[in-house]
Amino acid sequence: MSRFTEKYISGFMSGLQARNPGEPEFHQAVKEVLTSVAPCLEAYPYLLDGKIMERMVEPERVIIFRVPWMDDSGEIQINRGFRVQMNSAIGPYKGGIRFHPSVNLSIMKFLAFEQTFKNALTTLPMGGAKGGSDFNPRGKSDAEVMRFCQSFMTELQRHIGQDTDVPAGDIGVGGREIGYLFGQYKRLRDEFSGTLTGKGFAWGGSSLRPEATGFGVCYFAQQMLATRGESFEGKTVVVSGAGNVAQYAAAKAMRLGAKVVTLSDSDGFIFDPDGLDEEKFAYVQQLKNVARGRIKEYAAKYPASTYYPGERPWGIKCDIALPCATQNELDAEGAQKLVDNGCICVTEGANMPTTPEAIAIIQGAKLLYSPGKASNAGGVAVSGLEMTQNSIRQKWTPEEVDAQLHRIMTDIHEACIKYGTEEDGYVNYVKGANTAGFLKVAGAMMDQGLV
Ligand code: NDP
Ligand code: 2IT
């Protein structure tokens, strides 16, 4: 790293921290991108003079609002709602909505910042945003979730629209929540439009949107593995999470010939030495998506498997690790275990699941490693395809959508190779993804003047 780059990064980061105190996840996300793109700023002084990075870290708009609702016992509850509209240089704001008790401004800003570069990588015209609430869906009845969603949308609807901002799902927001949110949006605005993605197939949803993030993670991992003449065939795979992304990443890895031996939730993980099969996958879908149960129930159902309460799965020996739960779930200790156990590839399904210290260990050992903004972009990419289908009032077959998803993941992988290949031939996917996404958004911002 040049002296200029080092000084620029440290000066920029201290300014960012002073201006945005108490936002550690946002600082972490910005520092990673800045470290990747600082050499570009040195090479293209007009971007530096244009204060592009200073502009990119300032959201175009942040909306924070009260979400009052009544629980089933008649008690009044108050939650906080957010929408961070980060960047609209290349298209309408686009990004998911997260319902989780940990949601705060830092988490919303880090996710919206990441989304801006991810969306640029998809090749589709989408800006970056994220939203959510500290509402905890766990243990709530369907009626409570519906009342909450209706109250949330009653405020959010005035800030979104098919050409303005198009939300989708994320942690705690799946098909059920998108249904309630869409119903309320349609009622208040009297319009049936593509303002939300992840809709039910019968009412405007795209085929393969539920599968898209997890499938895309595996398509991306296939490309990474191919650079070393490897594939999923016969490999042991560790997956964290048991939600939307984890389920379909696990299913696709299994269908590509791998043995998927773990799944997890915030209480612990299950290890199944025999690996997942179609019957067990159907059980997990029923357990998580219909019964809304906990992953420990898997071990009760399949006695050959073991439940490890309070632990993460990184100590299980594997060839490929797919972190698909949440941010900073893979720390230095976990990364060291993966390296020591001979893991060759870490492909992120979650957003920022790997801590900076863990990334240093994984990259230091020259493992294949991809950041979520590259490898989990298949979800938002198919959201983009849902927007297209809604606009032209058409419906594409699963085969058509899958072919486009494959093409997009391949294009993202090529961009990472182009911008991330180092002198010794090692592909730094972090640098590649950040640089490719940054150059696209920066170029658009420069073209559009000081706005
Ligand atoms: P879900 O809500 O469907 O599943 C989340 C899973 O992660 C659950 O198993 C949950 O367990 C676990 N989890 C959540 N928070 C924590 C935590 N603090 N510690 C440990 N485990 C936790 O969400 P998704 O599968 O949609 O999202 C997973 C990740 O993928 C997130 O990082 C999300 O931002 C990212 N992502 C999602 C996309 C999508 O299309 N849905 C697209 C791209 C990225 P528990 O039930 O105990 O909370
Ligand atoms: O993090 C993500 O990319 C998502 N949660 C999906 C966003 C979207 O608009 O489909």
Side-chain angles (χ1 to χ4, degrees):
M1 200 183 283
S2 76
R3 260 194 67 72
F4 164 85
T5 306
E6 221 167 290
K7 249 187 95 185
Y8 178 73
I9 294 172
S10 78
F12 189 96
M13 286 310 299
S14 34
L16 183 91
Q17 281 156 5
R19 194 167 156 75
N20 304 277
E23 298 179 6
E25 293 86 1
F26 181 54
H27 303 161
Q28 182 183 338
V30 171
K31 187 165 185 194
E32 186 207 277
V33 170
L34 187 62
T35 306
S36 294
V37 307
C40 288
L41 294 169
E42 192 176 0
Y44 306 114
Y46 69 97
L47 293 179
L48 207 58
D49 296 341
K51 299 234 166 116
I52 280 296
M53 205 61 211
E54 287 82 349
R55 283 198 248 167
M56 279 184 180
V57 300
E58 199 61 41
E60 289 178 15
R61 192 174 298 109
V62 177
I63 300 137
I64 303 183
F65 51 100
R66 181 205 299 156
V67 189
W69 58 283
M70 193 173 280
D71 69 20
D72 286 348
S73 70
E75 194 179 326
I76 287 172
Q77 303 285 344
I78 310 294
N79 285 98
R80 185 170 292 170
F82 298 87
R83 188 72 179 165
V84 175
Q85 296 176 333
M86 189 57 93
N87 194 301
S88 63
I90 65 168
Y93 305 112
K94 180 87 194 87
I97 292 178
R98 176 177 292 193
F99 291 165
H100 193 271
S102 64
V103 163
N104 59 30
L105 187 58
S106 174
I107 289 179
M108 293 288 99
K109 283 172 70 178
F110 116 66
L111 288 163
F113 186 74
E114 290 282 286
Q115 197 80 45
T116 300
F117 303 99
K118 181 195 308 193
N119 292 1
L121 287 169
T122 64
T123 71
L124 303 174
M126 299 181 290
K130 204 79 185 193
S133 174
D134 59 358
F135 173 74
N136 185 359
R138 206 203 279 193
K140 303 289 190 297
S141 69
D142 282 352
E144 288 175 322
V145 170
M146 182 177 77
R147 286 197 295 276
F148 175 81
C149 288
Q150 290 177 341
S151 181
F152 183 85
M153 184 51 87
T154 299
E155 175 57 33
L156 186 67
Q157 58 88 19
R158 68 183 92 244
H159 308 288
I160 61 176
Q162 60 176 345
D163 299 316
T164 319
D165 184 355
V166 182
D170 193 79
I171 290 177
V173 177
R176 174 183 60 171
E177 291 74 19
I178 293 292
Y180 295 150
L181 291 164
F182 182 78
Q184 184 75 347
Y185 181 84
K186 184 163 63 71
R187 186 180 190 193
L188 291 170
R189 297 278 287 251
D190 196 18
E191 72 178 41
F192 197 114
S193 67
T195 302
L196 288 150
T197 61
K199 298 185 291 299
F201 185 70
W203 39 278
S206 175
S207 51
L208 281 195
R209 176 62 189 87
E211 295 88 344
T213 311
F215 281 15
V217 167
C218 290
Y219 297 160
F220 197 87
Q222 276 186 301
Q223 306 258 346
M224 296 168 78
L225 291 162
T227 65
R228 298 194 182 172
E230 296 280 5
S231 74
F232 272 103
E233 189 65 46
K235 298 290 190 303
T236 299
V237 177
V238 157
V239 176
S240 68
N244 173 268
V245 180
Q247 286 172 27
Y248 288 107
K252 183 55 83 175
M254 167 185 89
R255 289 169 196 162
L256 291 169
K259 184 151 88 161
V260 177
V261 293
T262 67
L263 288 169
S264 74
D265 58 27
S266 53
D267 297 332
F269 78 92
I270 55 101
F271 170 52
D272 184 346
D274 300 332
L276 205 64
D277 59 25
E278 290 291 351
E279 190 269 325
K280 292 173 184 172
F281 172 59
Y283 167 76
V284 170
Q285 290 216 291
Q286 167 72 25
L287 172 70
K288 298 304 295 182
N289 310 347
V290 182
R292 299 187 188 274
R294 308 302 297 161
I295 201 64
K296 72 172 176 207
E297 293 168 54
Y298 182 104
K301 167 96 176 159
Y302 300 106
S305 63
T306 313
Y307 176 61
Y308 291 85
E311 286 190 49
R312 289 178 168 147
W314 316 124
I316 299 294
K317 187 172 165 50
C318 68
D319 304 300
I320 298 164
L322 306 176
C324 295
T326 193
Q327 64 275 356
N328 292 327
E329 55 166 323
L330 171 52
D331 62 8
E333 194 191 332
Q336 196 58 56
K337 284 184 195 156
L338 290 174
V339 171
D340 292 346
N341 283 333
C343 176
I344 58 169
C345 178
V346 180
T347 302
E348 292 185 350
N351 286 308
M352 209 168 76
T354 313
T355 66
E357 299 75 24
I359 295 175
I361 290 168
I362 292 165
Q363 288 190 326
K366 302 282 176 194
L367 267 58
L368 293 165
Y369 165 71
S370 73
K373 66 169 75 69
S375 41
N376 74 29
V380 74
V382 173
S383 277
L385 302 178
E386 183 170 327
M387 289 165 71
T388 307
Q389 292 169 79
N390 293 161
S391 296
I392 60 174
R393 305 210 186 283
Q394 270 277 12
K395 210 80 170 163
W396 294 333
T397 64
E399 292 72 26
E400 286 171 305
V401 175
D402 201 35
Q404 295 217 45
L405 176 60
H406 260 112
R407 177 190 54 79
I408 289 168
M409 299 317 291
T410 305
D411 285 352
I412 298 173
H413 188 265
E414 275 170 15
C416 291
I417 300 270
K418 179 174 174 190
Y419 291 103
T421 305
E422 294 181 337
E423 273 172 18
D424 63 359
Y426 179 67
V427 181
N428 184 337
Y429 286 88
V430 176
K431 183 164 190 237
N434 286 334
T435 306
F438 170 80
L439 287 174
K440 182 168 178 184
V441 177
M445 289 172 75
M446 292 304 289
D447 289 348
Q448 292 168 29
L450 189 53
V451 292

